[in-house]
Amino acid sequence: MKFEKDRLGYAFEEDYPESYGPADLARLRAILPQQISQLGQGTAGADARLLGILIGRRCGDQGRAQVEARSRRDGALCLLARGEVVLPAAEFSGGTVGSLFTGFAPPPAVSGRRGAHVRMRRPAASASEVDRIVDACGAAKVPAWPNYLATMAAVGKGLGGPEPTPPPPPPPPAPGARAARFAAVGTEAAITAPPAAEGGTVRVAIIDTGIPRSTRPDGWLNAVRRTDDNIDVLDMLPAGPDGLLDFQAGHGTFVAGIVQRVAPQADIRMYRAADTDGFATDAEIAEAILRAHDDGAQIINLSLGIRTVDDQPPPATAEAVSTVVRESAGQTVIIAAAGNHGDRSVVWPAALDGVEAVAGLTAFLTPATWSNYGDVRFSTVAEGIRSTYVGGTESPVFDSAPDRFDHDAWAIWSGTSFAAPQIAGAVARISYEEGMEPRAAVDKLDAYGKEIHGFGKAMRILQGLG
């Protein structure tokens, strides 16, 4: 890093080199415009077709959130979990509105701590019935809401999906004893066995699709703890394994790989909130945020987004973020993708108070036309980002020319999903190298970015593919 002299967004300019052979470079430069074209500029017909496929893929499993689309005032769609209502756990345990939920599946045991919610489910319930229950709860002075659905903030597979690449070159050695320990993780000698996090490192929580149970032959991400509730099973839809990667399988692995590239000494923890097609409910996201907070996360990355009917924040996520901010006295850094709609529309949780929103740039540090913008803190390169991916074969349902990936695969992908973890990693790296708290590292990063109207402080961390 060159913080002593750079205030134009290039503090990391030479830290993460990229290089490709001529054949790979030609192939990737041909695919990148197709990848980017599916961000922010999808046609209504194409979006409706894709949504119909995704709805159909999960309708045979009523244990999953069933997707319902509602129109917003601007004509765009937002997504809800059909037949689901969310209300504060403390209010539900009081029993004043229990009779309204006859026929709904009883919620699992949930603590009554502030920020915890219960999720009531009856997928057969109509939208009008859900609205009636929400209104009746309000009349009883009990807050309740439909359970909104988030999607991963990246474009889906198809021509816009991940494209196989070779692994990146190792970063150059960094000066200084503390920085040298940081840089050594990226060398060829260390690449097959990255060390576990050591004392003084920063814990980064990634709330996403999870991580595969199997470890990688090249050693990347193998220090990330695997548990039964954070595994990305990769292939579960439409009706169990079919030998093909699901729509957003590997998204969490890609995000985690970015954090490890930028901050190899970070203590990365994975929390699965989304399923393999990339849907996560408001309640699931909130529960993951609170678990990460209880586990001591200092930085929380959310590469996902929710749009609501009325632009009001999804309540469970909003309350969880508020709880983290309050209980950490604002010291826990929460980072979220700004969204890929190419406008100023409100995307949650990026728009919540206490969250640092991250927009996307081109490889030339200019605003990406497909990125949301407006009230954001940071922006960084989000086109043609290289990171770790998962083994498997893409589905021809989503890609007319499906790729096959090895178990130590690398790929390029584009979207604000992959800008946010660069900022998370940069904050973790600054904290580690300079011995400061993550909140102070955020402010230092802000001071050295390049101001771009609507895109906050812009900077290059990973180079992307220009």
Side-chain angles (χ1 to χ4, degrees):
M1 293 181 292
K2 301 187 291 294
F3 284 120
E4 70 281 0
K5 61 183 179 180
D6 182 84
R7 289 181 181 269
L8 295 173
Y10 295 101
F12 299 91
E13 180 65 13
E14 299 174 0
D15 291 1
Y16 306 104
E18 297 282 11
S19 63
Y20 296 96
D24 282 320
L25 190 60
R27 172 177 59 85
L28 295 172
R29 282 183 169 165
I31 201 72
L32 184 63
Q34 300 171 5
Q35 193 176 82
I36 293 170
S37 72
Q38 295 191 2
L39 289 165
Q41 301 173 15
T43 65
D47 289 346
R49 176 182 175 276
L50 175 59
L51 183 58
I53 291 171
L54 293 172
I55 290 173
R57 280 167 59 83
R58 60 203 306 111
C59 65
D61 182 357
Q62 293 299 300
R64 294 181 182 275
Q66 300 300 304
V67 180
E68 175 184 301
R70 293 200 189 182
S71 296
R72 291 161 36 89
R73 287 174 294 196
D74 60 5
L77 295 178
C78 66
L79 303 179
L80 296 86
R82 189 178 71 226
E84 298 196 17
V85 179
V86 173
L87 64 160
E91 298 282 1
F92 181 78
S93 62
T96 57
V97 295
S99 62
L100 296 174
F101 294 97
T102 301
F104 281 69
V110 178
S111 74
R113 65 168 287 180
R114 184 170 171 79
H117 286 70
V118 294
R119 174 187 178 192
M120 306 302 296
R121 302 186 67 247
R122 187 161 71 83
S126 65
S128 60
E129 185 176 355
V130 168
D131 290 343
R132 178 185 60 77
I133 291 172
V134 168
D135 290 344
C137 287
K141 296 184 169 39
V142 173
W145 309 267
N147 196 11
Y148 281 100
L149 276 175
T151 56
M152 301 298 96
V155 69
K157 290 179 168 55
L159 289 176
E163 182 71 10
T165 72
R178 191 172 177 86
R181 293 203 306 273
F182 173 96
V185 184
T187 65
E188 291 296 338
I191 209 166
T192 57
E198 62 182 59
T201 59
V202 178
R203 182 166 295 176
V204 181
I206 296 171
I207 296 172
D208 214 285
T209 59
I211 190 166
R213 188 178 298 277
S214 60
T215 54
R216 293 171 57 95
D218 64 7
W220 280 78
L221 301 177
N222 287 357
V224 178
R225 182 182 304 171
R226 271 75 167 168
T227 63
D228 287 342
D229 59 359
N230 77 355
I231 297 302
D232 182 348
V233 295
L234 306 179
D235 174 18
M236 281 300 292
L237 292 165
D242 60 4
L244 302 170
L245 293 170
D246 290 343
F247 182 61
Q248 288 290 312
H251 188 276
T253 297
F254 200 95
V255 169
I258 290 171
V259 173
Q260 190 177 40
R261 280 198 72 188
V262 177
Q265 290 287 5
D267 177 13
I268 298 173
R269 302 292 179 97
M270 184 68 74
Y271 297 83
R272 186 186 67 216
D275 63 24
T276 51
D277 269 356
F279 292 105
T281 70
D282 176 28
E284 289 166 330
I285 296 166
E287 193 272 336
I289 290 171
L290 293 174
R291 280 195 292 125
H293 174 58
D294 289 344
D295 289 345
Q298 296 163 278
I299 301 170
I300 299 175
N301 185 87
L302 294 146
S303 289
L304 48 82
I306 294 175
R307 291 203 288 182
T308 57
V309 170
D310 53 6
D311 281 340
Q312 294 301 301
T317 297
E319 181 62 28
V321 167
S322 177
T323 297
V324 172
V325 171
R326 183 183 63 258
E327 293 184 356
S328 71
Q331 292 305 298
T332 298
V333 175
I334 305 174
I335 296 169
N340 300 332
H341 307 294
D343 55 29
R344 301 180 69 100
S345 61
V346 178
V347 175
W348 312 99
L352 290 172
D353 290 341
V355 175
E356 314 297 349
V358 183
L361 304 174
T362 71
F364 307 102
L365 286 192
T366 58
T369 58
W370 49 262
S371 174
N372 281 43
Y373 58 94
D375 187 16
V376 302
R377 180 77 179 268
F378 297 108
S379 56
T380 192
V381 178
E383 296 184 351
I385 296 301
R386 176 156 50 178
S387 186
T388 50
Y389 196 54
V390 296
T393 301
E394 292 180 318
S395 170
V397 172
F398 304 116
D399 192 327
S400 59
D403 292 303
R404 174 164 180 78
F405 296 87
D406 295 330
H407 289 288
D408 56 357
W410 290 76
I412 64 165
W413 214 345
S414 302
T416 58
S417 266
F418 314 127
Q422 292 181 63
I423 298 298
V427 171
R429 176 180 171 179
I430 295 166
S431 298
Y432 175 76
E433 289 193 3
E434 309 220 353
M436 61 176 60
E437 293 299 317
R439 177 54 59 192
V442 169
D443 294 336
K444 182 160 190 174
L445 195 63
D446 183 280
Y448 284 83
K450 174 185 177 182
E451 182 72 41
I452 297 180
H453 180 67
F455 282 74
K457 294 298 183 70
M459 62 200 67
R460 187 194 311 280
I461 302 174
L462 299 184
Q463 294 182 20
L465 184 70

